[in-house]
Amino acid sequence: MTHPASAQAGPARRTVVATAGVCGLAALLAACGGSDGKEENAKEEKEGKEGNAKESESGGGAERPGAGAALGKAADIPEGGGKVFPDRKVVVTQPSKGEFKAFSAVCTHQGCLVKEVANGTINCPCHESRFSVTDGSVRGGPARQPLAARRVSVDGDSLTLG
């Protein structure tokens, strides 16, 4: 005698459960790949790591795209603070009056762009890494490598990458 359930044609229970698991995983991965900036941050991380490697190979002062271009006015950089230029992926600080420093704005932890300069540190919003406005060294968070130094020059009141 044939059991009524086994007489039905259809997928085995294992197949159904496995398919559901795969579909759930695909949905989870699709949700993680949304337009919340993580894809852009991954690209920036790759570019930042490649740029850091190039700077290390060339002694830290490699010419970068946008070098020689005006950033803005020195007066816009607060003493003891700084300003992030996201379009140039650079942050400029003024640790003490008239002393300007520039660093890559790409966090060395996972490649997010730093967002602000406050209380003597350059701050990354992704995982709360903090870097010194004086030398780009790590002051807290999961990052272990300092921000790469960039060259900045002041001509009158104009800041220029270079």
Side-chain angles (χ1 to χ4, degrees):
M1 173 172 192
T2 308
H3 191 279
S6 63
Q8 295 177 353
R13 181 177 173 189
R14 285 186 192 159
T15 304
V16 171
V17 171
T19 302
V22 169
C23 290
L25 179 60
L28 178 64
L29 292 174
C32 290
S35 62
D36 61 357
K38 292 190 187 280
E39 290 175 4
E40 293 172 13
N41 287 337
K43 181 180 176 187
E44 290 165 359
E45 176 183 7
K46 181 180 176 189
E47 291 171 355
K49 286 180 181 176
E50 290 171 355
N52 289 344
K54 289 177 186 171
E55 286 182 359
S56 295
E57 291 170 6
S58 66
E63 289 297 319
R64 302 282 220 124
L71 285 173
K73 295 183 176 190
D76 293 340
I77 311 300
E79 184 178 343
K83 182 176 178 181
V84 179
F85 296 89
D87 57 325
R88 298 281 174 76
K89 295 183 183 174
V90 68
V91 56
V92 177
T93 65
Q94 185 179 188
S96 60
K97 186 173 177 124
E99 177 190 16
F100 294 91
K101 303 278 185 162
F103 307 97
S104 169
V106 179
C107 180
T108 58
H109 175 238
Q110 287 193 343
C112 296
L113 286 182
V114 298
K115 185 171 183 153
E116 67 175 357
V117 181
N119 302 317
T121 58
I122 301 163
N123 306 311
C124 180
C126 293
H127 300 103
E128 300 179 9
S129 289
R130 297 182 326 276
F131 304 90
S132 168
V133 297
T134 304
D135 60 8
S137 62
V138 178
R139 292 292 181 239
R144 295 179 185 235
Q145 300 296 318
L147 294 176
R150 300 281 306 271
R151 284 187 252 163
V152 64
S153 59
V154 183
D155 184 20
D157 191 39
S158 295
L159 295 171
T160 304
L161 262 184

